[in-house]
């Protein structure tokens, strides 16, 4: 509930008790629009293609501009677990995975189909922004955030086998939660720089109440969320030849292709 204050209490079996500092839940405002631009990057030896995803949003509360944005991308890909094989003698012998619905006749060695649906041929994969994307004054224009870049999506034979679902979530932050994520972002930036020293320990909001002293790391915060999404279709790539071809099949379960995978079709996928 917007305006309420929340905290978390943790009791461990060894007698340790931790409690978080109270955190106020503020309004998430609204994500007004999400859009994308095709991008071509040329170097002396390589040309790559992708999409920059941007969004516009409003804060919804006067003088409250502390937000964390999360990007969630989803794409569908098909693999060929029925082609899985193993080394036998001096050749490769077919050994289709059981979930593919294909089997090998033990007498003839012939590849057969048992006519049950494949349960590991098609997966949906999620990918996220790695660096925290937090609000700052350069984004604000009269209480609005305009043209904020949420993500770059590379065009590959897998990501654009079909299409990409791009979602932006705007999450409200209290001041202490904002300071935590700001410190995380600063530390990640320092680690990538040759000239900037890595900052010190990131302060969390847990306090130990009782039990043998022991450190605890992390953050508890309360947030409301506004989100907006769209599909980037395969046809959005101006030249379809820019999508790399599927030269070699992936001869394994689709769960093994990329992390954050599921064989359950998302409700938003049509």
């Amino acid at each position: 509930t917007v305006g309420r204050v929340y905290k978390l209490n943790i009791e461990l079996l060894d007698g340790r008790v931790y409690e978080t500092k109270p955190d106020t839940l503020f309004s998430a405002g609204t994500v007004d629009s999400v859009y994308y631009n095709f991008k071509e990057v040329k170097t002396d030896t390589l040309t790559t293609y992708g999409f920059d995803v941007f969004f516009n949003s409003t804060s919804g509360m006067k003088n409250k501009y502390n937000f964390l944005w999360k990007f969630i991308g989803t794409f569908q890909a098909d693999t060929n677990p029925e082609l899985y094989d193993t080394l036998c003698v001096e050749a490769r012998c077919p050994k289709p995975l059981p979930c593919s619905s294909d089997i090998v006749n033990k007498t003839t060695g012939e590849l057969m189909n048992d006519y049950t649906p494949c349960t590991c041929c098609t997966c949906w994969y999620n990918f996220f922004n790695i660096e925290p994307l937090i609000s700052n004054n350069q984004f604000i224009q009269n209480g609005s955030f305009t043209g904020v870049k949420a993500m770059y999506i590379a065009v590959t034979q897998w990501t654009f086998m079909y299409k990409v679902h791009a979602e932006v979530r705007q999450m409200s932050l209290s001041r202490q939660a904002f300071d935590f994520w700001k410190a995380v972002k600063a530390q990640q930036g320092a680690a990538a720089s040759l000239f900037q020293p890595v900052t010190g320990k990131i302060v969390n909001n847990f306090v130990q109440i009782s039990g043998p002293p022991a450190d605890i790391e992390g953050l508890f915060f309360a947030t409301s969320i506004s989100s907006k999404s769209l599909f980037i279709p395969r046809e959005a790539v101006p030249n379809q030849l820019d999508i790399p071809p599927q030269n070699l099949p992936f001869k394994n379960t689709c769960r093994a292709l990329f992390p954050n995978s599921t064989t359950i079709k998302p409700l938003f996928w049509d």
Side-chain angles (χ1 to χ4, degrees), residues 122-196:
T122 300
C123 280
W124 288 263
Y125 307 88
N126 286 335
F127 59 100
F128 314 89
N129 55 305
I130 298 174
E131 253 191 36
L133 181 58
I134 58 175
S135 55
N136 59 51
N137 290 334
Q138 75 183 54
F139 294 146
I140 300 172
Q141 297 179 7
N142 298 322
S144 298
F145 302 95
T146 305
V148 183
K149 182 178 175 180
M151 190 68 174
Y152 171 77
I153 304 173
V155 172
T156 73
Q157 66 270 45
W158 300 111
T159 55
F160 281 90
M161 181 177 283
Y162 295 97
K163 56 188 174 183
V164 173
H165 182 262
E167 179 183 2
V168 175
R169 295 181 180 177
Q170 181 165 288
M171 308 165 69
S172 61
L173 297 178
S174 65
R175 186 66 211 187
Q176 68 176 354
F178 178 82
D179 289 342
F180 176 92
W181 289 112
K182 185 178 180 180
V184 171
K185 184 177 179 65
Q187 192 171 86
Q188 287 187 335
S193 172
L194 295 175
F195 306 103
Q196 184 178 352

Side-chain angles (χ1 to χ4, degrees), residues 6-252:
Y6 297 86
K7 66 179 180 179
L8 179 69
N9 182 275
I10 303 173
E11 299 182 10
L12 303 183
L13 295 177
D14 63 2
R16 284 180 289 160
V17 177
Y18 298 93
E19 191 172 85
T20 63
K21 297 176 182 178
D23 199 67
T24 303
L25 191 152
F26 294 106
S27 168
T30 56
V31 179
D32 300 315
S33 60
V34 178
Y35 58 99
Y36 57 85
N37 288 331
F38 183 72
K39 187 174 184 179
E40 178 180 334
V41 179
K42 290 186 177 181
T43 65
D44 293 337
T45 58
L46 184 67
T47 300
T48 58
Y49 306 94
F51 291 91
D52 282 333
V53 180
F54 301 90
F55 67 89
N56 300 325
S57 69
T58 52
S59 67
M61 292 183 68
K62 188 176 182 180
N63 300 324
K64 294 292 183 183
Y65 304 125
N66 295 334
F67 296 101
L68 172 71
W69 291 295
K70 184 176 184 178
F71 175 87
I72 304 175
T74 306
F75 63 92
Q76 175 188 336
D78 302 328
T79 62
N80 299 93
E82 75 279 4
L83 300 179
Y84 189 82
D85 54 18
T86 57
L87 184 64
C88 56
V89 191
E90 295 181 356
R92 304 291 300 184
C93 292
K95 191 179 180 181
L97 299 181
C99 60
S100 70
S101 82
D102 280 12
I103 56 176
V104 176
N105 187 307
K106 294 182 178 180
T107 303
T108 64
E110 181 185 3
L111 194 64
M112 304 166 56
N113 190 286
D114 67 359
Y115 302 104
T116 59
C118 176
T119 58
C120 60
C121 294
T122 300
C123 280
W124 288 263
Y125 307 88
N126 286 335
F127 59 100
F128 314 89
N129 55 305
I130 298 174
E131 253 191 36
L133 181 58
I134 58 175
S135 55
N136 59 51
N137 290 334
Q138 75 183 54
F139 294 146
I140 300 172
Q141 297 179 7
N142 298 322
S144 298
F145 302 95
T146 305
V148 183
K149 182 178 175 180
M151 190 68 174
Y152 171 77
I153 304 173
V155 172
T156 73
Q157 66 270 45
W158 300 111
T159 55
F160 281 90
M161 181 177 283
Y162 295 97
K163 56 188 174 183
V164 173
H165 182 262
E167 179 183 2
V168 175
R169 295 181 180 177
Q170 181 165 288
M171 308 165 69
S172 61
L173 297 178
S174 65
R175 186 66 211 187
Q176 68 176 354
F178 178 82
D179 289 342
F180 176 92
W181 289 112
K182 185 178 180 180
V184 171
K185 184 177 179 65
Q187 192 171 86
Q188 287 187 335
S193 172
L194 295 175
F195 306 103
Q196 184 178 352
V198 176
T199 55
K201 183 179 178 181
I202 296 174
V203 178
N204 61 47
N205 65 346
F206 285 86
V207 177
Q208 187 168 1
I209 303 300
S210 63
D215 288 339
I216 181 171
E217 302 293 337
L219 172 75
F220 168 80
F221 69 105
T223 181
S224 50
I225 301 174
S226 173
S227 65
K228 204 171 191 67
S229 63
L230 53 69
F231 280 103
I232 306 177
R234 178 184 174 96
E235 293 74 26
V237 181
N239 183 359
Q240 295 292 292
L241 296 178
D242 293 337
I243 303 176
Q246 296 285 342
N247 290 327
L248 295 173
F250 186 76
K251 302 179 181 181
N252 207 331

